[in-house]
Structure formats: C-alpha cells, structure tokens
Amino acid sequence: MNITELAALAGVSKAAVSRYFNNGYLSEDKRAAIAAAVEKTGYQPSEQARNLRTQKTRQIGIVIPRLSSESTARVVDGISLTLADKGYRLLLANTANDPAKEVEYLDTFRHSGVDGVLFMASVFTPEHESVLKNMHLPVVIIAQRHEGYNCVYHDDFGAAHAVAARLIQRGSRHPIYIGVTARDYAAGYARHEGYLAALKEAGIAPRAEDMFLAQFSMKSGYEQAKAILQSGRRPDGIFCATDAIAVGAMQACREAGLTVGRDVLVTGIGDSAMGRVTAVPLTSAHLHYKTSGQEAAQLMLKLLKRQGSGTRCIQLGYEVVERESTKMGLESETV
Amino acid sequence: MNITELAALAGVSKAAVSRYFNNGYLSEDKRAAIAAAVEKTGYQPSEQARNLRTQKTRQIGIVIPRLSSESTARVVDGISLTLADKGYRLLLANTANDPAKEVEYLDTFRHSGVDGVLFMASVFTPEHESVLKNMHLPVVIIAQRHEGYNCVYHDDFGAAHAVAARLIQRGSRHPIYIGVTARDYAAGYARHEGYLAALKEAGIAPRAEDMFLAQFSMKSGYEQAKAILQSGRRPDGIFCATDAIAVGAMQACREAGLTVGRDVLVTGIGDSAMGRVTAVPLTSAHLHYKTSGQEAAQLMLKLLKRQGSGTRCIQLGYEVVERESTKMGLESETV
DNA sequence: CTGAAAGCGCTAACAG
DNA sequence: CTGTTAGCGCTTTCAG
C-alpha cells in the first residue's frame, strides 16, 4: 500500500494524503475520507521515501565507549527517554573502548542519514578533531568539555576536589591516587587536578610515587591496589577516580587484611549502585548521569530546530555522598 | 555531491558508479576512473536513496525494557558488537518497563525501515501477540521462549532449581521466595517452578505464606525483605528471583541484625557484578547475557540471509556460583 | 561490459 | 483549499 493507492481509495490526490499526514491545509471532508481509508488499510507513509524527500530521518546517532557501565547506561537511558518523547529514534554505535572506532562511527554517521550526533567522548585525537570539524551536522559532546562545541558535562574537578578534601578531613594524611589516563580530560586530568588541589589546600605535598594508573574497571582497580599493598606500602587513604576502581581497591584492601574505613579510607567518584552495597559502603560524589543524557538530548532538539545561536556548554554539579569507607573511627561524630 | 555529478566527473554513467559501489561488472579502466573521482571528492552514496530503492536499511531495531540494568546492558552489548561487525546498525527503543510501549515500538518498527527486530521480552499480552503476528519482518525474541518464534533464552528453570537446591543443601529448611510477576514467564514463572521443584525433591512442602512478589529492583527486594522481617518472621533462607532483589534483601537482613550466610542464607540469579562485592558475596547462577545477545544477533543475520527454514529456539545454560551468602557455618567444609 | 531509462514513495512548489 | 508536477539519489532491468 502506497500513497497513490491510498489516494485513489480515498478519492483524493496524493498531495491531499501527504497533507493529511503533515498537517497541511485540508477540508474536513477530505480529511475524513482519508482517515477512513487509512483506518481501513492500516496505511502508513514510508519512512524511507520520506527520508529521501525531506533529507531528514528523525534519527539521532549516539557514539558511546561501552554499554556495560552504569554511568554510560544511565546517560543513554536519559537520552532515549527524552528523544522518544519527541519522536526521534536512537541509533547506537558502541565502540568497545576503541578510540579509532569512535572516529569511524562518527564518520559513518556523517553520511548516513542521522539528523544529529551525540558523542560520549573520552579522548580527543587529531583524527577526532578532523572528523568533528567536518561533520556538518549538529553535534553534542557528552562528558567532556570541548572548546567550540556544544557540550554537556560534569564538574569533575569540583567533585574530585570535594571528595579528596573529605578524605583528608577524615584523617588521611597521604592519600594515594588511582586514576585513569589524563588523555581523558574529564575523568583523568580534571579529577587528578581536583585531587591535587585538595592536597595543596591541606598543605600536603603531592608525591610522584603516590600516583597510579588504572583502566575503567573494578578488576583494574583491584590489581593496582593489590600491587601497591603487596609492595608493602600501607597507605592511610586511597582516592580513586571512579567507583569501579574504588570497589576493586576496597576488595584488595580487604584481602590484605585491612579494614576499609578504619585502617584505610577509600573514595570513588560517580556514586554507582555498586558502591552502595559493598562490604564497606563507598564514599563518592554523585554525578547526574541520567540528567546529562536528558540535557544533551534537549540541547540536540534545540539545535535541530535551529534555536539558539553559537555553542552552548552545560556543566552539571555534584554532591558528595559520604559513607563508611571514610569514617575512620569517627562513627560517633559523623552519624 | 551525488551520483550524477560523480559520474560526470569520472566520465562514466551513473550505472557504472552504482556498480562500483555494489560490486557489479566493471572494467578496470572505469573502476580506476571512478576510484579517482571518489578519492578526490570524498563522495559517498546516499544511504537514504539507497534505502528507498532497495527497500533495505541495514538497520535492526531492538526493543528493551530498560538500559540501566546490568543484564540488559550486557545483552545489548553483545548484540551491538555482533551487528556492527556485519555492517548493521542498531536502532534502540527503550520502553522504560512499560508493556504498552513495547507494543507501540514493535508497531513503529514494523513500518519504519528496519530490516528486522530483536525483542527483549518480559510479558506477552494479546496485543503483543497481535503485533508480533503482523510484523512481516524477521523477529528474534530474547530472554523468553515463545512458541512459533525465533528465540534465544536462558534455562531459567534449571538455574533456579540448582540454586534453590544448593540453598536447601546448605541448611535452609524453609527458604522463602521473593520473585517477580509470573506474567514474566522466564524470570517469574520458570524460576518459581525451579524453586518449587527443588523444594519438592527435598520433601519440603511449599507454603503460600512463603511466597512474595517484588519488582525488578534492589529497592523492591529491600522493601519486601524488610516487611517480612518486621513482621517478626525469621526465615532460614531467602531465594530471590534476581540478584538485584537478593542484594536488597541482604541489606534488609543486615539492618535487622542478621548475618547473611550464618543466620539466614540468601541466593539470587544472574551473577551480577553487584552480587560479587556485597558485604556478604551472593550465591547466584551465572546466565550468559552477553552471549545471548550475540546469539540473537547471529540468528537475526541468518534470517536476513533467508538461511535456515522454520523457527529456531536457542536455550543457553547456566552455572551455579556459590559464595558466602549460603555458607552457614560451613566455612571449613566449603573452602 | 556499459548506458539509458524507469521508477522506489513521498513532499513541496506552483498554479488554480 | 486542491491537484499537478517535478524531483530527492539511487539501483536495476533492458538493450546493445
């Protein structure tokens, strides 16, 4: 069933049918006749013909590093809900943590029928810059601030700073740092800077031997912490750039016979569900992942309507959530 | 830049350019000339024109109940990786746990330019049946067995049976059951049946007052367990239909002053990352979620190639993973 | 092996 | 308010 047949059935022209589906001028008679024919046949206009003709698809592409991470899942959740509300569909490109694939998918989207692209970024290589520059499509970058682009991101510096300050306040004199690559500006560089700022404010000199690098995983956090502890070191505090790393680190501490929250204080960032149920619940900073997804989607919708000029950067706040992992013998004071 | 311009530039016909991109007959001369022109201009055929013309989009729709659930995320992860490998794109429809939206999205996909639909199902209403029957598109149902359709699902009965048997074996004489609605055949009905079968084998009579219903969430598991404990009951075991419920239940037990694994045994199903890091690690059954996503995607690819006749049902196995939550005073024996 | 020609199904001027 | 018309950019017979 196509528009021509439907038009014949309703006794009107193709144009009338098109107007019926696009809120154009139409008399009540014709509208009713078309409605009847549509009802009877179950006709629906071909999305593909429409796409070709209008050069729009009502599809938004999203490039993400992985799905099996609570933060990413929450962001995508927020996006999909907001977009669905407005009749847009979500085309998902999962790069499995491969920056080269990010560039590849970005480029694919460029010529393949999406109206805009949401990009959950980690690092920016020259290739990223180049493909982003040539997009000729609305782009919103999520989780990173990037000059000259529309972005929605978190206050990574502030969150890290506040959490590290709390860690120090609770008694850690030399918190070590387990973070991720600084090539990830938000989760790597900014959080490290936040940690350093807190140290500085407390008059603690940062030491190179206190800095460790991990991947974005519990396993990696576990391994790093285990190596540190096996070397014989007994830090009084561990600042982790993500909750996953922190949960892994707590596991290692436990296995080394240390009681988290008493022998060693541990913090994360992200306030994941996991950190709330660990043997010793984890102190962290809540980041508004789902909200960032919603905000990014809304920003995209604005761009698609050509509303607003220039680029917009939206930074979302954080809240420190203190739990037992930083309560070194202070239970009575901090109830 | 479109095919006509590119053809002019290369000094060939549109048809030749089309053949260039579709591996048709083409002399080496022309092929080279076209390659040069493509190189120079960066031309890429319009996906949308192609879609209209071929009536294919190389897009697969997927309908899921939510994203912020580890099991779902793992399934989608598996799907997206497999599909991307074969040049297919994934269109994501998130129903936010609303069965009515499932039907709606299924219907949307029916007429909107996807080559096939993956459906991560929970319940089947008459509306579901009706829309599925009228799809006229390859469909693969994930997580549920459904007569007459291609499915990839888990051995929910077997997993529940094995876990419940372990729970009883470890000393629970009257394990209570906290599950989800039986309208969800796999996670609700089949797991309950597995639990009942284990009871029967152990000669334990099931009691109506031991059965409780929760939502798919930690919070709900917590609330159910809390209510049970507040009523004064002190069960010796709690069988939970999902890990999330179990984690919530353990939290409630802990708050009630009970030591999980000693005063009360608790089990889940799904082997989530969360259950591995809880205060008392959770005994559960591992289900191969990511694999099920991959299998479903592969099955879809086969259907798209019109390979294989009839429908195919793939059931995946499980492995019991025992942790401290079922080790009631048996530590010495079960190391 | 190659090009001409005929649409895929729809929308958007345009003239009435 | 309505119908006619001319494509959107591509693929695919069909002759040659």
Side-chain angles (χ1 to χ4, degrees):
Chain A
M1 172 65 56
N2 62 29
I3 196 171
T4 310
E5 289 170 49
L6 195 282
L9 206 98
V12 299
S13 70
K14 288 162 48 170
V17 177
S18 176
R19 288 191 185 101
Y20 175 83
F21 283 103
N22 294 285
N23 305 312
Y25 292 134
L26 208 50
S27 66
E28 275 315 311
D29 305 7
K30 305 230 173 214
R31 190 174 298 279
I34 294 169
V38 167
E39 176 72 25
K40 186 167 145 200
T41 59
Y43 166 79
Q44 283 200 241
S46 150
E47 207 63 55
Q48 300 162 229
R50 212 170 220 186
N51 290 346
L52 175 58
R53 182 57 228 238
T54 60
Q55 304 290 25
K56 305 233 169 311
T57 57
R58 294 187 81 77
Q59 287 187 175
I60 305 295
I62 174 166
V63 178
I64 55 167
R66 80 206 81 99
L67 218 47
S68 45
S69 139
E70 192 188 324
S71 52
T72 313
R74 273 159 63 186
V75 170
V76 177
D77 219 25
I79 291 170
S80 67
L81 266 25
T82 305
L83 249 33
D85 259 10
K86 303 295 179 188
Y88 278 83
R89 274 170 271 123
L90 232 206
L91 213 45
L92 192 80
N94 184 350
T95 66
N97 286 309
D98 180 351
K101 277 202 173 171
E102 288 180 357
V103 174
E104 188 187 320
Y105 284 128
L106 249 17
D107 197 54
T108 302
F109 280 144
R110 187 154 67 94
H111 288 293
S112 78
V114 298
D115 295 348
V117 175
L118 300 169
F119 175 31
M120 193 159 173
S122 49
V123 307
F124 288 101
T125 65
E127 289 76 40
H128 283 82
E129 302 293 351
S130 145
V131 69
L132 283 171
K133 194 163 297 168
N134 294 307
M135 282 301 270
H136 304 303
L137 274 180
V139 175
V140 175
I141 293 172
I142 303 177
Q144 301 279 343
R145 176 190 190 105
H146 200 60
E147 217 53 61
Y149 291 89
N150 296 286
C151 319
V152 177
Y153 58 99
H154 306 279
D155 183 2
D156 291 284
F157 175 88
H161 176 231
V163 168
R166 184 69 60 101
L167 183 59
I168 294 166
Q169 180 200 332
R170 288 306 182 216
S172 176
R173 295 309 304 155
H174 286 290
I176 67 170
Y177 172 88
I178 306 183
V180 297
T181 172
R183 302 201 309 137
D184 182 326
Y185 188 88
Y189 182 76
R191 293 182 190 175
H192 191 216
E193 288 296 307
Y195 156 88
L196 292 174
L199 251 55
K200 188 169 180 185
E201 282 170 22
I204 303 172
R207 301 181 302 199
E209 66 268 31
D210 286 349
M211 311 300 162
F212 298 88
L213 232 52
Q215 305 301 119
F216 283 90
S217 73
M218 196 179 119
K219 181 156 173 276
S220 182
Y222 170 80
E223 286 164 359
Q224 288 303 311
K226 186 172 180 181
I228 294 164
L229 296 168
Q230 281 187 336
S231 77
R233 295 188 58 173
R234 284 294 173 272
D236 58 12
I238 307 178
F239 173 96
C240 302
T242 76
D243 268 26
I245 292 172
V247 169
M250 290 200 294
Q251 192 95 24
C253 289
R254 194 183 183 186
E255 287 181 14
L258 301 176
T259 299
V260 172
R262 191 192 66 193
D263 305 327
V264 56
L265 308 186
V266 179
T267 62
I269 289 184
D271 187 26
S272 67
M274 231 189 202
R276 297 196 274 266
V277 300
T278 41
V280 177
L282 179 68
T283 292
S284 190
H286 185 81
L287 298 182
H288 302 88
Y289 289 115
K290 189 167 177 179
T291 305
S292 71
Q294 293 171 165
E295 290 284 344
Q298 259 149 25
L299 183 48
M300 175 56 71
L301 291 169
K302 263 189 202 145
L303 295 173
L304 292 172
K305 282 196 252 164
R306 312 235 174 292
Q307 283 178 3
S309 46
T311 57
R312 217 176 288 295
C313 277
I314 302 176
Q315 187 187 65
L316 302 175
Y318 62 89
E319 286 95 42
V320 172
V321 187
E322 184 160 28
R323 303 203 182 87
E324 280 66 40
S325 74
T326 49
K327 301 204 172 160
M328 190 184 273
L330 296 180
E331 270 124 64
S332 51
E333 296 179 38
T334 58
V335 168
Chain B
M1 171 65 55
N2 62 28
I3 197 172
T4 310
E5 290 169 48
L6 196 281
L9 205 96
V12 299
S13 70
K14 287 162 49 168
V17 176
S18 176
R19 288 191 185 100
Y20 175 84
F21 282 103
N22 295 286
N23 305 311
Y25 291 136
L26 208 51
S27 66
E28 275 315 312
D29 305 9
K30 306 231 172 209
R31 190 173 298 278
I34 294 169
V38 166
E39 177 70 26
K40 186 167 146 198
T41 58
Y43 166 79
Q44 283 201 239
S46 150
E47 208 63 55
Q48 299 161 230
R50 210 169 222 187
N51 290 348
L52 175 58
R53 183 56 227 243
T54 60
Q55 305 290 27
K56 304 234 168 313
T57 58
R58 293 187 82 77
Q59 286 188 175
I60 305 295
I62 174 165
V63 178
I64 54 166
R66 78 206 83 97
L67 217 48
S68 45
S69 138
E70 192 188 324
S71 52
T72 313
R74 272 159 63 185
V75 171
V76 177
D77 219 25
I79 292 171
S80 67
L81 265 24
T82 305
L83 250 33
D85 259 9
K86 303 295 179 188
Y88 279 83
R89 274 170 269 125
L90 232 206
L91 213 45
L92 192 81
N94 184 349
T95 67
N97 285 310
D98 180 351
K101 277 202 173 172
E102 287 181 357
V103 174
E104 187 187 319
Y105 284 128
L106 249 16
D107 196 55
T108 302
F109 279 144
R110 188 155 65 93
H111 288 292
S112 78
V114 298
D115 296 348
V117 175
L118 300 170
F119 175 32
M120 194 160 170
S122 49
V123 307
F124 288 100
T125 65
E127 288 77 38
H128 283 82
E129 301 293 350
S130 147
V131 70
L132 282 172
K133 193 163 297 169
N134 294 307
M135 282 301 270
H136 304 302
L137 275 180
V139 175
V140 175
I141 293 173
I142 303 176
Q144 302 278 344
R145 176 188 189 107
H146 200 58
E147 217 53 59
Y149 290 89
N150 295 287
C151 319
V152 176
Y153 59 99
H154 307 278
D155 183 3
D156 292 284
F157 174 88
H161 176 230
V163 168
R166 185 69 60 102
L167 183 59
I168 294 165
Q169 180 200 332
R170 288 306 183 215
S172 177
R173 295 308 305 156
H174 286 290
I176 67 171
Y177 173 88
I178 307 183
V180 297
T181 172
R183 302 202 309 136
D184 182 325
Y185 188 88
Y189 182 77
R191 293 183 190 175
H192 190 215
E193 287 297 307
Y195 157 87
L196 291 174
L199 251 56
K200 187 168 180 187
E201 281 170 23
I204 304 172
R207 302 180 302 200
E209 66 267 31
D210 287 349
M211 311 299 161
F212 298 88
L213 233 52
Q215 306 300 118
F216 282 90
S217 73
M218 195 178 117
K219 182 158 173 275
S220 182
Y222 170 80
E223 286 164 0
Q224 288 303 311
K226 187 172 180 179
I228 294 165
L229 296 167
Q230 280 186 337
S231 77
R233 294 189 58 175
R234 284 293 175 272
D236 59 11
I238 308 179
F239 173 96
C240 303
T242 75
D243 269 26
I245 292 172
V247 170
M250 290 199 293
Q251 192 96 27
C253 289
R254 193 183 182 186
E255 287 181 14
L258 301 175
T259 299
V260 171
R262 192 192 64 194
D263 304 328
V264 56
L265 308 187
V266 179
T267 62
I269 288 184
D271 187 26
S272 67
M274 230 188 203
R276 296 196 275 266
V277 300
T278 41
V280 177
L282 179 67
T283 291
S284 189
H286 185 81
L287 299 182
H288 302 89
Y289 289 115
K290 189 166 176 180
T291 304
S292 72
Q294 293 170 167
E295 290 284 343
Q298 259 149 25
L299 182 47
M300 175 56 71
L301 292 170
K302 262 189 205 145
L303 295 173
L304 292 172
K305 282 195 252 163
R306 312 234 176 289
Q307 285 179 0
S309 47
T311 57
R312 217 176 287 296
C313 276
I314 302 175
Q315 187 187 65
L316 302 175
Y318 63 90
E319 285 94 42
V320 173
V321 187
E322 183 160 30
R323 303 204 182 86
E324 280 67 40
S325 74
T326 49
K327 301 204 171 159
M328 189 185 274
L330 296 181
E331 269 125 65
S332 51
E333 293 178 41
T334 58
V335 167

